[in-house]
Amino acid sequence: EIFIDMESYRGTVMLRHGFTKRLELGADLPYMAQEAGVFDSAINGWHDLFGFPDGGRAKQSEDTYRFFYRRNGQDVFRISQPARGTGDLLLSAGIGLLPDSKPAHKSLSLRVSATLPTINSNDLLASNNSTFSVNLHFNEEHVGGGQHWAWFSGLGGMYLGDSELLADLRRDWVARAIFGMGWYAQPSVILKAQVQLHTPYYSHSRIRQLTATAGLLVFGGTFMLKKEYQLDIGLGEDIFVRTVPD
């Protein structure tokens, strides 16, 4: 049995530097917070408005914090107190594989990344182990006839490394895919929709949250506030119920 009821907040300090026209190196350090939150009522209303399945969410108390996994009647772990702290450090490299072409601007890039644990976390803010990812990304932009739009896709995999948490159930590799489109409604407004998929992180369990392929639909937009700033707003809906959070 697994039960997860929380809201997660994440702020990330990101560093990117292009050493050549086709080589970029970067580092990300997140600050994480897991709390009871305030959005349960809004999410329940969203599901009711459009008739989306909620996986039993409406039957639970709102704005509470509970996180536990129980096997054979025994708690494997239980977290009952909100937590804040630093997450895993991410180191990345991006390599451009194609030059831009006109009138359709295309790009193909290979991105390699690794996470390094920063703290010994018992509250699941960090993974306590290193991971390694390889991803191939394709992007194509079209401008003409008064329209400006783009589509993008990605395919890759992640090696999960060694971890003591559910080690007997954890898979070694996870495959990931993404597909989406964006439309420039205004020069400063880009409306977007994307689908994200990944294979299960765990096996040998009857719990759907652990062993089912996960699917998430995200739609929203990017708003260019100034040359140096932009605001991204998105809503996520689990297209495979009980596999990812809303």
Side-chain angles (χ1 to χ4, degrees):
E1 177 187 7
I2 191 168
F3 190 93
I4 304 172
D5 186 2
M6 68 170 70
E7 286 180 14
S8 297
Y9 303 85
R10 177 188 179 105
T12 305
V13 177
M14 304 172 65
L15 176 64
R16 299 287 186 274
H17 183 73
F19 287 88
T20 69
K21 291 184 177 180
R22 296 194 181 184
L23 176 63
E24 175 191 274
L25 299 182
D28 296 18
L29 184 61
Y31 184 82
M32 313 285 291
Q34 295 177 348
E35 301 178 354
V38 297
F39 291 107
D40 279 346
S41 178
I43 294 174
N44 288 337
W46 168 266
H47 286 155
D48 291 341
L49 179 63
F50 291 98
F52 292 151
D54 65 1
R57 171 192 291 274
K59 299 178 182 179
Q60 306 300 325
S61 300
E62 293 186 354
D63 304 331
T64 59
Y65 185 96
R66 285 184 293 171
F67 189 5
F68 66 82
Y69 172 60
R70 184 181 298 138
R71 187 193 301 173
N72 299 325
Q74 301 293 323
D75 284 352
V76 177
F77 64 80
R78 178 180 291 270
I79 303 173
S80 56
Q81 296 297 324
R84 298 183 178 184
T86 304
D88 294 329
L89 174 66
L90 174 71
L91 302 177
S92 62
I95 304 172
L97 303 178
L98 289 178
D100 289 339
S101 59
K102 296 182 179 180
H105 303 281
K106 301 179 182 179
S107 65
L108 180 66
S109 62
L110 178 68
R111 300 201 68 87
V112 180
S113 62
T115 61
L116 303 176
T118 55
I119 57 175
N120 184 18
S121 175
N122 294 320
D123 45 29
L124 304 186
L125 291 174
S127 62
N128 296 333
N129 66 289
S130 299
T131 65
F132 177 77
S133 299
V134 178
N135 297 279
L136 192 65
H137 294 274
F138 179 78
N139 182 78
E140 183 173 346
E141 291 192 32
H142 294 267
V143 181
Q147 299 292 324
H148 185 183
W149 62 277
W151 70 274
F152 54 90
S153 61
L155 183 65
M158 178 171 63
Y159 174 68
L160 299 179
D162 295 325
S163 175
E164 296 180 358
L165 182 64
L166 304 184
D168 57 327
L169 303 181
R170 179 182 42 79
R171 296 174 182 266
D172 291 331
W173 286 90
V174 171
R176 301 185 295 187
I178 183 172
F179 177 82
M181 299 186 69
W183 175 56
Y184 289 74
Q186 298 289 335
S188 59
V189 179
I190 310 172
L191 302 181
K192 301 177 181 179
Q194 67 184 43
V195 173
Q196 301 168 207
L197 305 168
H198 70 73
T199 57
Y201 280 59
Y202 301 96
S203 61
H204 306 300
S205 173
R206 291 176 293 179
I207 299 177
R208 176 176 172 78
Q209 290 91 331
L210 297 180
T211 59
T213 295
L216 179 68
L217 170 65
V218 182
F219 49 93
T222 296
F223 302 87
M224 306 297 183
L225 305 180
K226 291 183 179 180
K227 183 178 180 180
E228 301 88 357
Y229 302 99
Q230 69 181 46
L231 174 65
D232 289 299
I233 299 177
L235 296 173
E237 179 66 26
D238 52 341
I239 54 178
F240 301 156
V241 179
R242 296 182 180 177
T243 60
V244 291
D246 292 316

